[in-house]
Amino acid sequence: AAETALVLEPAHGGALALLESLYRRQRNWDRYVEILGRKREHPGTDLGKLGDAYVEVLRYEPRHTGALDGLGRLHEESGAWDAAADLLRRLITALPEVRVDESDARYRLARLLPRLCRHARAHQRAPARVPVAARAARRRSGDTTGTSD
């Protein structure tokens, strides 16, 4: 009945909550993550609780691509660049083969690299702590500040 309600009204809060609870109890992580994605699209969703839900899925299935992608997007939107980059790297390694999803994850990770570099400089991190990919991106761009290699 709840699935039918979502067909008729995709933003039906009661149906989303019911299915979220049901799929979580059944540990049907694919369907659970699908419901979390729907909830994420609606204004007023508690993003902290949504993040906790993705973390719960990853506790049971550390390579669940939907949860890695969803949590990574939450971190990107909140400006948590290090966490977003880490999740995107995990997503890329979890994907079984090169396909559109991996290309999208690699593109998102590449977009984060300049932010990671700025973040590192702003917090005056030692160059050795800046991720290797970020140092390589700086070298390619001609920025040699703070690099000792």
Side-chain angles (χ1 to χ4, degrees), residues 25-118:
R25 280 180 297 175
Q26 292 176 341
R27 294 189 180 167
N28 185 341
W29 301 127
D30 292 336
R31 299 297 300 270
Y32 182 62
V33 167
E34 181 183 316
I35 294 298
L36 295 178
R38 284 183 172 203
K39 288 182 72 173
R40 187 172 161 264
E41 296 171 2
H42 300 293
T45 298
D46 183 340
L47 298 180
K49 286 184 180 179
L50 197 59
D52 291 343
Y54 284 125
V55 168
E56 179 181 17
V57 173
L58 293 171
R59 192 173 24 245
Y60 289 98
E61 286 191 37
R63 295 175 54 90
H64 192 284
T65 58
L68 289 167
D69 183 50
L71 187 57
R73 287 182 189 277
L74 286 178
H75 285 303
E76 283 178 82
E77 292 166 5
S78 70
W81 312 124
D82 291 330
D86 177 57
L87 285 159
L88 286 169
R89 285 183 197 104
R90 288 174 56 192
L91 175 61
I92 290 166
T93 61
L95 292 168
E97 58 191 47
V98 175
R99 55 182 214 221
V100 174
D101 292 342
E102 182 179 350
S103 297
D104 178 59
R106 287 183 185 278
Y107 172 75
R108 287 169 44 207
L109 181 58
R111 279 193 3 236
L112 286 179
L113 289 177
R115 292 179 177 138
L116 286 168
C117 292
R118 283 194 301 269

Side-chain angles (χ1 to χ4, degrees), residues 1 8 13 15 47 68 73 97 100 119 124-126 129 133 144 148:
L8 299 172
L47 298 180
L68 289 167
R73 287 182 189 277
E97 58 191 47
V100 174
H119 178 74
Q124 298 177 344
R125 289 186 177 166
R129 293 191 61 201
T144 58
S148 58

